[in-house]
Amino acid sequence: MENKRAGGILYLVVPCYNEEEVLPHTAEVMRDKLRRMTIQNIISVKSKIIFVNDGSSDKTWKIISDLCRCDSIFSGLCFSRNYGHQSAILAGMMAAREHADMVVTIDADLQQDIEALDKFVKCYQEGCEIVYGVRNDRDTDGLFKKLSANMFYKFMHLLGCNVMSNHADYRLLSKRALDALAEYREVNLFLRGLIPTMGFQSDVVYFDVKKREAGQSKYTLRKMMTLATNGITSMSTRPIQIITVLGFLVSLFSFAMIIYCIVDWFSGRNVPGYTTSLVVSLLMGGLTIFSLGIVGEYIGKIYLETKARPRYIIESIIWKEAETNKQEEKEEVDTE
């Protein structure tokens, strides 16, 4: 059967936060890969690489600017401050949406095997609108990283957030999928859970994870916990349902304690009941505070959504069109 999607325009979206140590090497590897794919007629010569500077405090944006001025294959977006990894990915995809047939998001540390791009594009050419990159194993991670990552996915599944295990934002989206994603307007972004809800034809590409070329991982335990909280509160109401069940069970326990106390009183036993009162009070107080915290987290997300603040602000754009060899630079404030 004739392939109707051969030679499409591919845009790589690369979120960057304090990546000055690895970025020059990353840019060279990515440029070489796209050029090889172009020579093989897998993708169009109009394919590009978009670096998104997520409010870095080092020389990341200067390096991106120099790359863009030297080669039209590179483009750059610069946030006015740090908005987070998910916002950086979204900004890059939305910038590429008008120009690309397909977009692949990939981290700047080159741990995600860039040679798997051929498999991504092949799945797209066979009709898939979304292709997920899933790592084969976690052999390159330390013990703590392995444990925390496994706990993250199990915790997300337990609380009703439908995410794909060992998939970390290395994925391909077609233009059709990007157009659909643009219709989602929530401020509380969790793309790993949001994109599967679109329901397009999808596939999975497995890849080996490499060691980081330079620098240190920016995904700390704190950021992973924040990502998990955002994912749960934006994609699932199961925590509130759990509170309802716990409330019912505690009510049954309290009712049983009331019956016990009444029977104890009628039996004529004069037991002070200090321990029982203390245990019940602590149990009820702890459960009440914990429940209020979960409900408050949801109310806080509703508060942010109703204010509808920009998900990110783009301070600077450097975009050079390859076909005209004409560079357009913008120093402006753009909001999404």
Side-chain angles (χ1 to χ4, degrees):
M1 182 170 60
E2 184 180 355
N3 196 333
K4 297 181 179 179
R5 279 182 157 181
I9 301 175
L10 169 66
Y11 274 44
L12 287 185
V13 171
V14 189
C16 305
Y17 178 68
N18 291 343
E19 298 287 0
E20 64 176 358
E21 294 178 335
V22 73
L23 198 54
H25 176 67
T26 296
E28 186 60 35
V29 171
M30 291 182 175
R31 175 169 52 188
D32 177 67
K33 177 59 180 177
L34 289 195
R35 284 180 174 171
R36 282 188 282 124
M37 294 176 72
T38 300
I39 292 172
Q40 296 170 9
N41 201 30
I42 298 174
I43 59 175
S44 169
V45 294
K46 297 181 180 179
S47 299
K48 291 177 68 68
I49 302 167
I50 302 178
F51 293 111
V52 183
N53 178 38
D54 185 22
S56 300
S57 57
D58 60 4
K59 297 180 181 179
T60 295
W61 179 240
K62 182 181 184 303
I63 295 172
I64 294 173
S65 301
D66 292 341
L67 289 169
C68 294
R69 292 185 175 96
C70 293
D71 195 330
S72 62
I73 198 173
F74 298 115
S75 291
L77 306 179
C78 183
F79 282 174
S80 60
R81 64 172 178 83
N82 178 248
Y83 282 91
H85 184 261
Q86 299 291 285
S87 294
I89 291 175
L90 182 68
M93 290 193 296
M94 292 301 101
R97 183 165 64 104
E98 300 299 325
H99 310 275
D101 297 312
M102 50 187 156
V103 170
V104 172
T105 57
I106 183 172
D107 290 341
D109 55 18
L110 290 180
Q111 287 189 279
Q112 297 160 329
D113 186 11
I114 196 169
E115 295 300 326
L117 281 178
D118 301 78
K119 299 178 182 178
F120 279 87
V121 175
K122 182 179 179 181
C123 291
Y124 163 80
Q125 292 172 346
E126 291 173 351
C128 292
E129 307 293 345
I130 302 172
V131 184
Y132 301 99
V134 176
R135 57 192 299 168
N136 285 318
D137 52 57
R138 290 191 169 272
D139 292 341
T140 57
D141 292 343
L143 179 60
F144 178 76
K145 180 66 175 179
K146 288 181 181 179
L147 292 175
S148 60
N150 289 331
M151 288 178 59
F152 170 81
Y153 290 110
K154 290 180 179 179
F155 187 62
M156 297 294 284
H157 290 149
L158 177 66
L159 294 182
C161 190
N162 184 27
V163 295
M164 186 173 297
S165 297
N166 294 322
H167 164 64
D169 296 306
Y170 188 22
R171 70 175 73 86
L172 178 147
L173 271 71
S174 68
K175 180 173 175 55
R176 184 183 179 191
L178 290 172
D179 290 339
L181 181 62
E183 298 297 321
Y184 289 79
R185 308 305 301 174
E186 56 246 56
V187 176
N188 186 34
L189 280 175
F190 184 65
L191 296 174
R192 298 185 197 181
L194 192 63
I195 290 175
T197 65
M198 295 193 293
F200 290 117
Q201 180 180 344
S202 62
D203 203 346
V204 173
V205 168
Y206 293 93
F207 65 93
D208 293 322
V209 178
K210 301 180 179 180
K211 292 184 178 180
R212 188 180 176 91
E213 293 288 339
Q216 296 180 348
S217 173
K218 307 305 184 296
Y219 246 104
T220 61
L221 178 61
R222 178 182 176 185
K223 288 187 176 182
M224 185 173 289
M225 293 299 296
T226 300
L227 182 66
T229 302
N230 287 338
I232 293 166
T233 53
S234 65
M235 303 302 300
S236 173
T237 58
R238 186 168 294 178
I240 295 180
Q241 296 170 354
I242 292 175
I243 289 176
T244 303
V245 174
L246 284 176
F248 177 73
L249 294 177
V250 170
S251 298
L252 289 179
F253 175 75
S254 301
F255 183 71
M257 287 299 298
I258 292 173
I259 295 176
Y260 171 79
C261 291
I262 293 175
V263 172
D264 190 53
W265 182 78
F266 275 111
S267 66
R269 289 179 295 176
N270 188 16
V271 179
Y274 173 78
T275 302
T276 302
S277 300
L278 181 62
V279 169
V280 172
S281 297
L282 291 175
L283 178 64
M284 293 295 293
L287 181 60
T288 300
I289 294 174
F290 177 71
S291 302
L292 286 175
I294 293 179
V295 174
E297 188 70 28
Y298 277 91
I299 293 175
K301 300 301 181 183
I302 295 172
Y303 173 65
L304 293 175
E305 294 292 341
T306 54
K307 289 196 295 186
R309 289 180 176 176
R311 291 178 287 189
Y312 51 81
I313 297 176
I314 298 176
E315 183 179 53
S316 304
I317 303 174
I318 301 178
W319 197 287
K320 183 189 290 185
E321 297 296 342
E323 63 271 20
T324 61
N325 202 29
K326 178 181 178 181
Q327 179 173 331
E328 297 179 3
E329 291 190 29
K330 300 179 183 179
E331 301 290 338
E332 60 182 27
V333 175
D334 187 16
T335 62
E336 174 63 30

